[in-house]
Amino acid sequence: MIHQLTILFIGAAEIMVILLIVVLVFGADKLPEIARGLGKGMRQLRDASNDIKQEVSKSAKENNIIDSDVTKNVQEEINKIKDDLEDFTGSLKRNK
């Protein structure tokens, strides 16, 4: 049984190598711009998934096909993925 979802099934060492290559290719001065773009992309992805979730819920309510167990399971999975994404992007966020 899988206890924790690994983003793209890669470990910390592989992520560090990827980050090193990114720094070498783009340079340190472009990293904040790249991180900002990633943050905007993640926000758009989150907003799109929330819109889809709302549309599905609205359609289910209109057609009276709401199954509370299924919706709870889907919500739990969405929350797990959201937490994994926040853990992954936490180091990219700036402290204000």
Side-chain angles (χ1 to χ4, degrees), residues 26-46:
F26 295 108
D29 56 335
K30 296 286 184 178
L31 286 182
E33 185 177 326
I34 293 169
R36 198 172 306 120
L38 283 173
K40 287 180 183 179
M42 296 297 291
R43 180 175 295 132
Q44 289 175 348
L45 180 64
R46 184 180 61 217

Side-chain angles (χ1 to χ4, degrees), residues 50 53 57 68-82:
N50 285 338
K53 184 173 66 173
S57 296
S68 60
D69 292 334
V70 173
T71 56
K72 286 180 184 177
N73 291 339
V74 169
Q75 185 64 38
E76 288 174 2
E77 290 298 321
I78 289 172
N79 288 337
K80 286 179 188 177
I81 292 170
K82 187 189 303 184

